[in-house]
């Protein structure tokens, strides 16, 4: 099967069907998106989008918390953040962007076809459901296409939502002459011990680790997301691994509840996870902001209420978080720009996790 290009009808993103990709969770074709820029500067973006690991939360008529498909409906043309290449402040505006949707419920750590028992729910009888947890294999097919299409970049920025980017930062080393940088957009609080074991088993994560050079000997016994960071950073001490979180991230708290964590404590988990990583490796930096949400680079927004009818006609001001978030006087955009261009950054952590802070000036009322 040959790789096929499918032209999007909007703007200049194109949809690519990679050869050999096993497909999305339900067996539909997997595709990804490319926006041409400089052939020597690549940004590889692995999307966030939830996960599943039981019949109940994998079945589409049940209680799914993941994206099951990756097709033309996932066109990123209208997203903000790093996708807004018309914004003159976007540090990736002139990069070639390769955007990989998530569509297998396995945060790109899956290489398994799993059959789940499905309870009666949503008006459907009990039965079986087959899920293609093939996120890693789909990503590999997409990256193989990228390696052939852009053979000699000088800069490669690998980034992703949640827990997705670290393993594939290692694959960025396929470019021996490129400077590789890393950024992870959330997912730092899943320090939940053995509760991750059923996920990794369902997804076939052991198959993934066996196929990645340098990860083959990682034990599945007690494996954590932090262990993947540590191994990737040990293998590549020249790469600084960066992570963004919001101190009271309710999305991470929700998924911890789904993992049967009775009283999720996101701040404590973040502190524990970061401390654990830093006891093992020095090349790890974090930006922990105020707030209760997850995600910043992919077009996420904050609403600032108007003060009166003369302020934006009484409507809320809508701010693209990527360009306006600030913590302890440090603008996130400046921190991110330095991180993805290989410049040193220091850890940033909020002191007051409840009070918003913006790099933004409220427009003055008309005189």
């Amino acid at each position: 099967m040959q790789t096929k290009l499918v032209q999007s009808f909007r703007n200049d993103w194109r949809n690519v069907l990679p050869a050999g990709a096993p497909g999305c969770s339900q067996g539909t074709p997997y595709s990804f998106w490319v926006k041409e820029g400089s052939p020597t500067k690549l940004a590889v973006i692995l999307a966030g989008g939830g996960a599943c690991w039981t019949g109940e939360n994998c079945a589409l008529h049940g209680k799914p918390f993941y994206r099951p498909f990756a097709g033309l409906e996932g066109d990123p043309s209208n997203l903000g953040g790093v996708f807004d290449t018309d914004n003159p402040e976007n540090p990736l505006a002139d990069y070639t962007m390769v955007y990989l949707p998530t569509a297998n419920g396995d945060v790109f750590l899956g290489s398994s076809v799993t059959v789940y028992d499905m309870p009666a729910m949503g008006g459907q009888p009990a039965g079986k459901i087959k899920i293609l947890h093939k996120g890693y294999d789909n990503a590999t097919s997409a990256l193989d296409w990228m390696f052939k299409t852009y053979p000699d970049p000088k800069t490669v920025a690998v980034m992703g939502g949640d827990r997705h980017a670290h393993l594939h930062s290692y694959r960025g080393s396929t470019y021996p002459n490129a400077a590789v940088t890393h950024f992870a957009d959330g997912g730092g609080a899943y320090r939940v011990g053995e509760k991750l074991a059923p996920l990794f088993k369902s997804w076939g994560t052991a198959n993934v680790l066996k196929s990645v050079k340098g990860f083959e000997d990682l034990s599945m016994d007690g494996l954590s997301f932090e262990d993947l960071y540590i191994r990737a950073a040990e293998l590549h001490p020249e790469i600084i691994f960066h992570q963004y979180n919001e101190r009271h991230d309710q999305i991470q708290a929700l998924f911890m509840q789904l993992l049967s964590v009775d009283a999720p404590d996101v701040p404590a988990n973040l502190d524990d996870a970061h401390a654990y990583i830093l006891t093992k490796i020095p090349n790890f930096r974090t930006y922990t902001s105020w707030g209760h949400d997850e995600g910043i680079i992919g077009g996420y927004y904050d609403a600032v209420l108007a003060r009166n009818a003369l302020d934006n006609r009484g409507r809320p001001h809508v701010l693209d978080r990527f360009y306006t978030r600030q913590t302890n006087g440090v603008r996130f955009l400046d921190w991110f720009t330095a991180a993805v261009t290989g410049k040193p950054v220091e850890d940033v952590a909020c002191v007051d996790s409840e009070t918003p802070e913006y790099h933004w000036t409220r427009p003055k009322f008309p005189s």
Side-chain angles (χ1 to χ4, degrees), residues 10 138 165 296 298 320 327:
R10 292 184 288 174
N138 284 326
I296 191 168
D320 188 327
T327 303

Side-chain angles (χ1 to χ4, degrees), residues 82 88-92 95 157 181 183 242 297 322-323 331-345:
V82 296
E89 291 194 293
N90 188 347
L92 304 180
Y95 280 57
T181 61
F183 174 81
H242 303 87
I297 67 171
F322 180 68
Y323 297 98
R331 187 185 185 190
F332 172 77
L333 180 65
D334 295 337
W335 192 89
F336 174 86
T337 300
V340 299
T341 55
K343 298 180 178 62
V345 296

Side-chain angles (χ1 to χ4, degrees), residues 295-345:
I296 191 168
I297 67 171
Y300 298 93
Y301 299 88
D302 293 317
V304 179
L305 296 179
R307 289 174 174 166
N308 53 45
L310 295 180
D311 182 4
N312 200 34
R313 298 183 62 85
R315 296 170 298 190
H317 298 274
V318 179
L319 309 181
D320 188 327
R321 198 174 296 162
F322 180 68
Y323 297 98
T324 58
R325 178 59 60 105
Q326 187 164 292
T327 303
N328 288 353
V330 179
R331 187 185 185 190
F332 172 77
L333 180 65
D334 295 337
W335 192 89
F336 174 86
T337 300
V340 299
T341 55
K343 298 180 178 62
V345 296

Side-chain angles (χ1 to χ4, degrees), residues 1-5 16-20 32 141 145 148-149:
M1 176 182 173
Q2 294 183 339
T3 297
K4 297 181 181 179
L5 301 181
V16 181
L17 292 166
F32 64 98
S141 296
W145 177 91
K148 294 175 183 177
T149 306

Side-chain angles (χ1 to χ4, degrees), residues 7-59:
Q7 186 64 45
S8 169
F9 292 103
R10 292 184 288 174
N11 299 332
D12 48 357
W13 285 90
R14 57 176 173 152
N15 190 251
V16 181
L17 292 166
C24 301
S25 63
Q26 316 293 310
T28 58
Y30 179 82
S31 63
F32 64 98
W33 295 88
V34 178
K35 186 172 187 178
E36 296 289 345
S38 169
T40 64
K41 299 166 74 174
L42 300 183
V44 186
I45 307 168
L46 291 90
C52 81
W53 57 93
T54 69
E56 185 176 17
N57 61 33
C58 285

Side-chain angles (χ1 to χ4, degrees), residues 59-362:
L60 299 188
H61 64 277
K63 299 177 181 178
F65 289 94
Y66 73 107
R67 294 174 183 162
F69 306 113
L72 294 178
E73 74 285 349
D75 188 340
S77 296
N78 294 327
L79 297 179
V82 296
F83 298 100
D84 182 5
T85 54
D86 292 330
N87 192 312
E89 291 194 293
N90 188 347
L92 304 180
D94 62 338
Y95 280 57
T96 289
M97 292 190 180
V98 181
Y99 173 58
L100 279 58
T102 178
N104 298 86
D106 57 19
V107 301
F108 294 107
L109 290 176
S111 185
S112 175
V113 177
T114 303
V115 177
Y116 293 100
D117 291 321
M118 184 177 61
M121 56 185 177
Q124 300 293 322
K128 303 282 187 181
I129 183 172
K130 182 173 74 173
I131 296 294
L132 272 66
H133 288 306
K134 291 284 187 174
Y136 181 81
D137 304 295
N138 284 326
T140 296
S141 296
L143 293 178
D144 286 344
W145 177 91
M146 183 185 75
F147 296 146
K148 294 175 183 177
T149 306
Y150 307 103
D152 192 28
K154 304 306 179 188
T155 300
V156 181
V158 183
M159 60 197 72
D162 302 342
R163 307 149 294 280
H164 304 160
H166 34 278
L167 202 58
H168 292 283
S169 289
Y170 178 81
R171 290 213 70 208
S173 64
T174 301
Y175 292 123
N177 299 320
V180 179
T181 61
H182 165 278
F183 174 81
D185 195 3
Y190 294 106
R191 188 104 176 107
V192 293
E194 291 295 334
K195 292 186 182 299
L196 292 176
L199 284 66
F200 294 143
K201 181 178 179 180
S202 294
W203 298 343
T205 301
N207 300 328
V208 173
L209 299 182
K210 290 175 184 176
S211 70
V212 182
K213 184 179 179 181
F215 288 78
E216 309 98 325
D217 64 334
L218 273 183
S219 172
M220 294 303 299
D221 184 19
L223 181 71
S224 69
F225 292 119
E226 294 77 36
D227 294 324
L228 300 179
Y229 268 102
I230 292 165
R231 178 55 58 89
E234 288 173 338
L235 291 167
H236 282 279
E238 77 281 5
I239 299 176
I240 305 296
F241 289 76
H242 303 87
Q243 187 187 94
Y244 171 88
N245 290 277
E246 293 188 13
R247 187 71 176 165
H248 292 284
D249 183 336
Q250 292 179 345
I251 306 300
Q252 294 192 65
L254 167 65
F255 274 95
M256 281 189 270
Q257 288 176 326
L258 295 174
L259 288 166
S260 300
V261 177
D262 294 330
D265 189 339
V266 171
N269 282 25
L270 282 173
D271 292 342
D272 186 22
H274 293 168
Y276 173 69
I277 292 172
L278 288 170
T279 62
K280 304 291 185 179
I281 55 163
N283 46 329
F284 179 67
R285 302 290 183 272
T286 59
Y287 188 113
T288 305
S289 185
W290 53 270
H292 298 77
D293 206 349
E294 183 174 51
I296 191 168
I297 67 171
Y300 298 93
Y301 299 88
D302 293 317
V304 179
L305 296 179
R307 289 174 174 166
N308 53 45
L310 295 180
D311 182 4
N312 200 34
R313 298 183 62 85
R315 296 170 298 190
H317 298 274
V318 179
L319 309 181
D320 188 327
R321 198 174 296 162
F322 180 68
Y323 297 98
T324 58
R325 178 59 60 105
Q326 187 164 292
T327 303
N328 288 353
V330 179
R331 187 185 185 190
F332 172 77
L333 180 65
D334 295 337
W335 192 89
F336 174 86
T337 300
V340 299
T341 55
K343 298 180 178 62
V345 296
E346 299 296 327
D347 292 340
V348 175
C350 58
V351 175
D352 180 354
S353 59
E354 297 295 341
T355 301
E357 182 183 349
Y358 301 105
H359 183 87
W360 172 76
T361 300
R362 187 186 296 268

